[in-house]
Each structure stands twice: as structure tokens, then as C-alpha cells.
Amino acid sequence: MALTKKKEPRSKFYELLQAQIHNEFNASQQYIALAVWFDSEDLPQLAKHFYKQSVEERNHAMALVQYMLDRDHHVEIPGTGEVRNDFSGVTELIELALEQEKEVAVDISAMAKAARAEEDYISEQFTQWFLKEQVEEISQMSTLLNVVKRANGNLFEVENHLHRESVGDGGRDSAMPPVAGGAL
């Protein structure tokens, strides 16, 4: 006898949560593409930053997976969408990353709204950490974009800034929800 969970009809919140797993994995892949581009341009600090961002997005996806498991919901691990690999310059990459983070903030807000509308206060509370995280992610990416623009083409200044300021290297947030399989 197979031990598979029966697929239950899902609420709007759980449909959005499943879609967000896809979005987080896709963001992770997009950040790898950015990191590889920076690596190929001999910009190790920018590459390191985006490799770390990729792992962070993967951990976010797996935290969403763990929540669905904890709530006894069927989880489907999706493929990822298209990943952009061709860019004309550093500003373009950072603008893409900032736009991606803004889109994620809208998606997480929609999840919180759906949970509240469904009176699923446990799920609404779960989304709060992700909302806070998006404020931080947007702020950091906005700052990085400003630094790139102010460097006016001098990428060594951007590299020095990242090395000096450790943007996005705050360590693991102890309040982060549990991650399926453990955080990387």
C-alpha cells in the first residue's frame, strides 16, 4: 500500500504558498545566474554576494515547504522558470535583483492578505517573518544599486564597499521559520 498524502482542495492561501515555493526557487536560480556573470567578469565580492543570495532564496523556499509539511498539506516541488543570463552591465543586474525582491514582497503580501481573509491566523502569522525579510532585502538591494550608480563605472569601489560593509551578511535570523532539511 502506497503511503501518499491525499491531495486536498487547497485554500487560496495554500495555492499562493505553493506558487511562492516556485518563485523562491526561481529567484535562487536567477541569483546564481547573476553570481556567475559577476564571476566571469572577475568581480568576486559581487559574485559572493549573489551566491549567498541564491542560498538564502533556496532556504526561503524550503521554509515554505516545511510549513506546508507541518500543516499536513501536500507539497509539490516545482521546476523553475526562465532565468536571464545576458546583461550589458552591472547596473542592469542589480536593477533586475531589486525588481525581483519587490515582486516577492507583493507576492508575500498577497499571501498574508489571503490568510487573513480566510481567518487563518496561524498562516497570517507565518507570513510576518517573510514580510519583514522583504523590507530588509529591498533596502539592501536599493543600497547596492545606489552604490553601483555612485561608483560611476568604477567597479572596484563597489567591490570594496561589499567587502567593507558585508551587505546581506547578517548571519542567520534566529526567528526564521524552520527549513525543511535544515538551512544551508
Side-chain angles (χ1 to χ4, degrees):
M1 183 166 152
L3 295 174
T4 59
K5 289 188 182 205
K6 186 175 106 179
K7 288 186 183 180
E8 300 287 332
R10 293 190 186 160
S11 66
K12 181 175 181 177
F13 171 78
Y14 282 98
E15 290 298 327
L16 292 170
L17 186 61
Q18 181 66 58
Q20 192 59 32
I21 291 169
H22 170 270
N23 295 344
E24 297 289 342
F25 280 129
N26 199 63
S28 177
Q29 290 296 101
Q30 185 61 68
Y31 282 148
I32 289 173
L34 299 182
V36 167
W37 190 92
F38 286 123
D39 245 353
S40 73
E41 295 293 320
D42 296 321
L43 296 165
Q45 295 302 317
L46 281 159
K48 178 181 172 184
H49 176 73
F50 283 99
Y51 284 128
K52 285 183 179 183
Q53 286 296 120
S54 173
V55 170
E56 187 174 295
E57 299 305 326
R58 176 263 182 211
N59 285 340
H60 293 170
M62 295 305 286
L64 300 174
V65 166
Q66 186 63 55
Y67 183 75
M68 288 183 76
L69 291 171
D70 289 347
R71 297 296 308 268
D72 203 29
H73 280 270
H74 174 76
V75 181
E76 294 179 13
I77 301 302
T80 62
E82 291 295 314
V83 173
R84 186 170 167 199
N85 289 284
D86 297 318
F87 303 95
S88 61
V90 173
T91 303
E92 192 176 358
L93 281 86
I94 307 302
E95 287 172 341
L96 174 72
L98 176 58
E99 190 56 38
Q100 182 172 278
E101 292 298 345
K102 287 179 178 179
E103 289 171 11
V104 169
V106 169
D107 294 340
I108 300 292
S109 293
M111 286 172 39
K113 184 178 180 179
R116 180 174 286 179
E118 295 166 4
E119 297 183 358
D120 182 353
Y121 302 114
I122 293 170
S123 293
E124 181 184 0
Q125 185 277 329
F126 172 73
T127 64
Q128 298 308 302
W129 181 87
F130 291 93
L131 289 169
K132 178 183 84 60
E133 176 71 4
Q134 284 314 116
V135 170
E136 177 185 310
E137 293 292 333
I138 291 168
S139 174
Q140 288 177 356
M141 213 56 74
S142 293
T143 297
L144 184 55
L145 181 58
N146 287 335
V147 168
V148 167
K149 287 179 177 179
R150 287 180 188 138
N152 200 26
N154 185 345
L155 298 179
F156 293 110
E157 287 300 323
V158 177
E159 288 282 287
N160 286 333
H161 170 80
L162 282 172
H163 181 72
R164 184 179 61 248
E165 299 297 324
S166 299
V167 175
D169 290 343
R172 288 209 180 110
D173 182 347
S174 63
M176 181 178 175
V179 174
L184 297 180

